Amino acid sequence: MDRLKVKLINKSHHPAPSYETPEAAGMDVRAFLPDGSVTLRPLQRALIPTGLYMQLPAGYECQIRPRSGLALNHGISIANSPGTVDADYRGEIGIILINLGQDDFTVNDGDRICQMVIKQYSHVEWEAAERLDRTKREDGAFGHTGTL
């Protein structure tokens, strides 16, 4: 498993994002709501501050993903899932939560609201082509292989 050093400024009074288990890919991120809780009505979304600022190395991104327990139990997700924090962004990391459930959901200061995964990426150089290599799938799209 690779280790990567990332500069972090944490203006919240909560711990830095952390892995809950040794083999976890995602770190839990907490809401920073010093002025009070935020309640999301069904289908409502809100930008939830974290108090976190980071400096990723070039060639890396931070992916923001929903927490499975919040999604299953309350219908809480990330509106732009997965969200991306680019390596050259230096502002506060905000999480766009959306309530896809049927009941109001209250986000409190310190609640674990999402997972953060740091990933390496590549830039693409497009190569113009007249045709593509053939495959068994060819142009088969959504559901073309059957439902079982």
Side-chain angles (χ1 to χ4, degrees):
M1 179 176 349
D2 292 333
R3 300 276 180 197
L4 179 70
K5 289 195 182 262
V6 175
K7 291 182 180 180
L8 178 74
I9 296 173
N10 184 353
K11 293 186 178 182
S12 80
H13 50 265
H14 305 298
S18 61
Y19 301 100
E20 290 296 314
T21 63
E23 300 300 317
M27 296 173 270
D28 286 341
V29 176
R30 296 177 184 275
F32 179 49
L33 298 169
D35 297 329
S37 302
V38 172
T39 298
L40 296 172
R41 295 182 314 277
L43 299 180
Q44 184 180 16
R45 63 191 177 276
L47 182 63
I48 306 298
T50 65
L52 302 174
Y53 302 74
M54 71 170 63
Q55 180 179 323
L56 291 167
Y60 286 84
E61 67 161 326
C62 169
Q63 296 179 358
I64 302 297
R65 303 177 182 180
R67 293 191 68 232
S68 57
L70 288 179
L72 176 64
N73 297 324
H74 304 284
I76 302 302
S77 192
I78 307 297
N80 60 328
S81 182
T84 295
V85 179
D86 293 309
D88 58 355
Y89 177 70
R90 296 294 186 266
E92 180 179 11
I93 297 171
I95 310 303
I96 306 170
L97 286 185
I98 187 167
N99 182 356
L100 300 174
Q102 298 175 349
D103 300 314
D104 288 358
F105 181 81
T106 300
V107 182
N108 298 300
D109 184 50
D111 284 354
R112 294 180 298 158
I113 56 171
C114 67
Q115 295 255 321
M116 172 186 288
V117 176
I118 308 299
K119 297 292 292 178
Q120 196 168 18
Y121 63 86
S122 299
H123 274 187
V124 170
E125 292 182 16
W126 296 109
E127 180 181 338
E130 294 295 321
R131 63 186 178 97
L132 304 176
D133 295 343
R134 297 190 61 110
T135 68
K136 182 179 179 181
R137 180 177 181 180
E138 290 294 325
D139 62 353
F142 306 101
H144 83 282
T145 60
T147 57
L148 300 178

